[in-house]
Amino acid sequence: MTAGDALLGRALVEEATKKSGLVWVRGSGPARALWHVWHEGAAVLVGDGPGEQPFPEGLVAGAPAEVTVRSKDKGGRIVAWTAVVAVLEPHSEEWEAAVADLKGKRLNAPDAERMTERWARECRVVRLVPEAPRTELPDGSLAAVPLPTAATTRRTAPAALPRLLLKRRGRR
């Protein structure tokens, strides 16, 4: 790999990750889809606390993580890259700068006014610093069994609902 290829790879990782709303992150266990913000050369995530996204197993300081970036419009994989995990200390200068960007992207927070205080107290803010992009395609399918979740599907509709919805509003 030449120096030009490395620069191109870094640029691809940065642009694709900036534009994607989700990245798939794998630590030592199964990969999880996580929302993120690109901040100062790394993907920054908040999670592992009440009301926030759960991180995959093995996402600890100094450990490697595999990141797969998807296309925002089509959902297909654009690039995969290896990252080094760095956990930010609450209220450090780096943490404050990262959280300022994260706060703007966090949707539907129940406590938007005190969200950063809760993150400092109960959550982890993690930086995924890119090491090397991978351009080769995987050999097999990346399909996996869905991870267990507390989310439920909606209940069945009442039996009379179709009649009510399809009922004519009056005769013409």
Side-chain angles (χ1 to χ4, degrees):
M1 181 186 262
T2 67
D5 290 342
L7 284 174
L8 245 133
R10 262 191 233 139
L12 175 62
V13 164
E14 182 171 344
E15 283 305 308
T17 309
K18 274 183 186 178
K19 293 182 184 214
S20 180
L22 286 175
V23 290
W24 288 89
V25 180
R26 179 187 5 242
S28 60
R32 285 195 177 267
L34 303 171
W35 70 272
H36 69 286
V37 170
W38 186 264
H39 177 76
E40 295 181 3
V44 182
L45 316 162
V46 63
D48 269 359
E52 298 299 336
Q53 59 192 354
F55 286 158
E57 296 172 23
L59 209 60
V60 294
E66 297 295 320
V67 180
T68 303
V69 182
R70 69 176 185 92
S71 166
K72 192 170 188 172
D73 57 345
K74 302 289 185 188
R77 184 174 60 156
I78 296 176
V79 67
W81 46 280
T82 305
V84 175
V85 179
V87 178
L88 303 181
E89 284 298 316
H91 299 296
S92 66
E93 188 175 316
E94 192 175 27
W95 186 90
E96 293 288 346
V99 163
D101 280 353
L102 283 165
K103 185 178 179 181
K105 296 289 185 179
R106 175 62 165 95
L107 302 176
N108 305 324
D111 60 346
E113 314 82 43
R114 296 180 310 279
M115 181 170 50
T116 56
E117 297 165 17
R118 179 173 53 85
W119 286 351
R121 206 175 45 250
E122 302 171 354
C123 298
R124 290 191 307 147
V125 176
V126 172
R127 271 177 60 92
L128 301 177
V129 182
E131 271 193 335
R134 291 188 317 277
T135 55
E136 73 277 355
L137 294 174
D139 290 336
S141 170
L142 296 178
V145 176
L147 297 173
T149 178
T152 60
T153 57
R154 62 186 183 144
R155 295 187 182 119
T156 58
L161 187 60
R163 281 190 308 237
L164 293 172
L165 292 175
L166 299 174
K167 185 178 177 181
R168 293 188 185 180
R169 297 207 174 226
R171 297 186 184 214
R172 292 183 186 170

